[in-house]
Structure formats: structure tokens, C-alpha cells
Amino acid sequence: MRRSLALFRAFLREQDDPDACYTLLARDAADQVEAYDGPVAGRTVVDVGGGSGYFTAEFRRRGAHAYLFEPDARELGGKPPRGTVIADGYLLPLGDGVADVTFSSNVLEHVADPQTFLSELVRVTRPDGLIYVSFTNWLSPWGGHEWAPWHYLGADRARARYLRRTGGPAKHRLGENLFAHHVGTTLRQVRARDDVRVVSARSRYWPFLAEAVVKAPGIREVATWNLLLILRRCPP
């Protein structure tokens, strides 16, 4: 509960203090990776869509050979990590099986074709390597991002309200850079694949019964908040 509250408080201060928010989130995510896969020191971690590089920096701090691949140069900020590559997650400039860990935090909801995106994450991960994927599902209270929770009334209404309230257009547009992905659909698609094994499907932030809530159809679409998938690449 203490962990979840700390993350939630940091999230509420994201606009005012993004450095503290994302530093804490990166530390928490790296802890999760190591809980499932052991220390990352000396291993290759590929961070796909990691924005300004907080996750890459945390993995490097722990001794990993971590590399950031970000498709949008505007998301990099003023000082991206050394060696950052501008690259689309659909077509990473990497060979097959080069990563011990492939990491993607809160990217899938911004991807029009999640199956192709996941296939690319799998391709660059070595056999038996770990794939960490989390995303904010559409019916989560935060599914509409900056115009949540009014997305429950429809995207157009929510964006119009945001414009009236702030005087400026919302960053995210449904069907362009934000997509309505759901927990149940995503789980069925991932479990149908023969190139990965699902190690865990859980709420990323939920303080208790994190795996149980994902098993409850209907309820999970709201209560999960953010779906975390821990996957293993199957040997060829």
C-alpha cells in the first residue's frame, strides 16, 4: 500500500515535478524487472519508447547496458541518454535476439497496431529473455490521459471540455496518437501467440491482489488501471 500511495502522489505532481515523478516510476519499474529476472547488471536492456530516458538512466545506474529507442524527438527533452536512437517501435534497428530484457512502459496505448509492435519487441529479445510491457487500458480511470476521466462520456466531449478548461487543445487524439486498447482483448491476443509465454499479467500499481483483479472480466477493464505483462520469449 505504501508503494502504491507513493506512486499515486508522484503521479498527481507529474506536471509540477516530472523529474521526481519519473525518477520514482523508473526505480519502481526496474525493481519489478529484477524481481522477475534477477539483477540487470552486465545485461543488455532495450528501452522502447522511453521518452526522456528516465528508465534507461535507472537501468544504467544498476549496471545494465541500456539503450533508448524513441520515435518522437520531441519526447526526448534537453538531455537524452548518451547513445539514444530515434527509431520506430515497429521497426527497431537491431538484430534478432540482442536484448536480455526488452522494456516498454506506457507505450502500447499510443500504438495503432499492438500486435506488430509486440512482435518487434519479441524479435529483438533473446530466447528465454524477458519482455516487460505495460499500458494504460482505455477504460481505466486514466485511459483518456490528460482528458480523463471524462473519456467515459466520449472522446470528443472529453477533449472539448479540456479545451474549455485550459484554453488549449489536448495533446492526445483518439485514433491518432491514443488508442482504445482493452485488458481482455490484449490478454487473448498475447496468450494466442506461440513466440512468448505469459509469466505474469497483473495491475502495475494495484497494492494487493494485483493478478486476481486481471482475472475478473468486466471489472478488470476499470480496476486494473494499468496492465503489466511479464513475458518470456520462447525458444525457436
Side-chain angles (χ1 to χ4, degrees):
M1 182 66 76
R2 186 180 298 113
R3 165 190 171 263
S4 296
L5 286 173
L7 288 168
F8 184 66
R9 290 188 185 115
F11 174 75
L12 293 178
R13 299 193 303 270
E14 177 197 10
Q15 296 299 314
D16 299 325
D17 192 359
D19 187 65
C21 175
Y22 288 107
T23 297
L24 177 62
L25 185 61
R27 188 164 62 244
D28 184 77
D31 286 343
Q32 289 179 317
V33 168
E34 293 192 326
Y36 285 100
D37 209 41
V40 296
R43 305 169 75 192
T44 299
V45 179
V46 171
D47 177 7
V48 181
S52 52
Y54 287 96
F55 299 106
T56 297
E58 178 61 25
F59 286 123
R60 288 182 181 179
R61 190 184 68 79
R62 298 181 185 218
H65 306 292
Y67 304 93
L68 172 61
F69 294 83
E70 169 58 48
D72 189 347
R74 294 169 297 181
E75 295 292 332
L76 292 176
K79 292 184 64 178
R82 174 178 44 83
T84 295
V85 178
I86 303 295
D88 194 317
Y90 289 136
L91 190 62
L92 294 168
L94 292 169
D96 295 352
V98 297
D100 297 300
V101 176
T102 304
F103 178 89
S104 175
S105 172
N106 295 334
V107 176
L108 201 69
E109 69 263 36
H110 304 296
V111 171
D113 183 354
Q115 288 302 295
T116 297
F117 180 79
L118 286 170
S119 293
E120 189 66 351
L121 300 187
V122 174
R123 181 188 68 80
V124 303
T125 307
R126 65 167 174 79
D128 206 37
L130 183 134
I131 302 161
Y132 177 112
V133 178
S134 82
F135 74 97
T136 304
N137 46 296
W138 176 243
L139 292 177
S140 154
W142 303 106
H145 285 49
E146 72 269 32
W147 25 278
W150 305 100
H151 65 297
Y152 288 130
L153 302 179
D156 290 340
R157 283 186 179 181
R159 292 188 75 243
R161 181 186 181 278
Y162 182 90
L163 179 61
R164 290 194 304 271
R165 184 169 60 86
T166 66
K171 174 182 177 181
H172 294 99
R173 298 173 299 281
L174 188 65
E176 296 180 32
N177 59 1
L178 182 64
F179 298 89
H181 299 320
H182 303 284
V183 174
T185 303
T186 302
L187 288 175
R188 287 190 293 273
Q189 290 173 342
V190 171
R191 287 169 176 160
R193 301 180 68 105
D194 60 6
D195 54 2
V196 294
R197 173 174 60 87
V198 179
V199 176
S200 180
R202 55 174 292 152
S203 170
R204 182 176 181 179
Y205 309 123
W206 201 248
F208 50 85
L209 300 176
E211 291 190 344
V213 71
V214 173
K215 295 176 182 177
I219 294 171
R220 64 190 176 193
E221 299 298 339
V222 177
T224 298
W225 283 45
N226 187 288
L227 178 65
L228 170 60
L229 295 172
I230 302 292
L231 311 174
R232 288 270 181 209
R233 181 177 180 183
C234 297

